[in-house]
Amino acid sequence: HSMRVYQLGLLYGKIKQIPFDLEELCLVSLFHDIGLNEKYRQIGKSFQIGSSSTLREYLKSETKLPITRINAM
């Protein structure tokens, strides 16, 4: 499923001529549904919020990306 999300994101970005980083697209694709998992769910919020928060925390702890890049994902 994540590979289909990646491929659709890749195609959409190219068609719309949106600049993007392939590695960032891959990370977003991998994490996009993780908020459906009870461990990462945020009560009262959509699963997308949980997914986004989980990716943000992962990137903050495991990378040296600037916060502006992290927030853009």
Side-chain angles (χ1 to χ4, degrees):
H1 173 72
S2 293
M3 281 304 296
R4 285 192 312 267
V5 170
Y6 175 82
Q7 291 170 340
L8 281 170
L10 188 64
L11 182 61
Y12 184 83
K14 287 183 177 187
I15 289 171
K16 296 291 187 174
Q17 298 180 334
I18 300 169
F20 59 89
D21 179 273
L22 289 173
E23 187 174 2
E24 291 176 6
L25 176 60
C26 184
L27 283 167
V28 170
S29 299
L30 289 170
F31 277 78
H32 85 280
D33 274 346
I34 201 164
L36 291 169
N37 184 298
E38 188 174 330
K39 181 177 178 180
Y40 305 104
R41 191 173 301 143
Q42 293 185 7
I43 305 301
K45 297 188 178 179
S46 68
F47 78 90
Q48 294 95 334
I49 299 298
S51 298
S52 178
S53 296
T54 303
L55 176 58
R56 185 178 304 107
E57 292 307 312
Y58 170 79
L59 292 171
K60 285 167 56 176
S61 68
E62 300 294 327
T63 71
K64 294 181 180 182
L65 286 171
I67 195 68
T68 54
R69 288 303 318 140
I70 291 172
N71 288 338
M73 289 188 250

